[in-house]
Amino acid sequence: MGNLNPKFIDIRTVCNKTSIGKTTLLQWEAEGIFPKAIRLSPHKRVWLEHQIDDWMLAKAEVHMEAAHA
């Protein structure tokens, strides 16, 4: 647990932050492409913001590496 200031963000925030639609996000989560949500209740899922940031940075790095190959 390296992040000293963890922050939960809801699905709407994750969708806005990543520009990914809700259906795609949930499908990618189920397929293991996207970080798993934390279930706070049966109808409430959240993500740790730093995990989403890390995922986005990893995607950007792959893109940049491919562009320079």
Side-chain angles (χ1 to χ4, degrees):
M1 310 244 75
N3 192 324
L4 299 177
N5 296 309
K7 180 179 176 185
F8 286 146
I9 54 176
D10 64 12
I11 195 163
R12 184 181 325 168
T13 304
V14 173
C15 289
N16 287 334
K17 187 175 185 99
T18 61
S19 298
I20 298 171
K22 181 179 176 179
T23 302
T24 299
L25 188 146
L26 294 176
Q27 181 179 348
W28 287 2
E29 179 193 16
E31 293 173 358
I33 298 169
F34 195 78
K36 291 282 185 200
I38 298 166
R39 291 282 189 162
L40 296 180
S41 73
H43 300 289
K44 183 66 172 179
R45 67 173 74 214
V46 294
W47 285 260
L48 285 167
E49 186 171 41
H50 76 89
Q51 289 180 332
I52 304 307
D53 292 340
D54 292 347
W55 181 86
M56 292 170 61
L57 288 171
K59 287 293 183 189
E61 286 178 16
V62 169
H63 175 74
M64 295 301 288
E65 288 172 4
H68 295 292

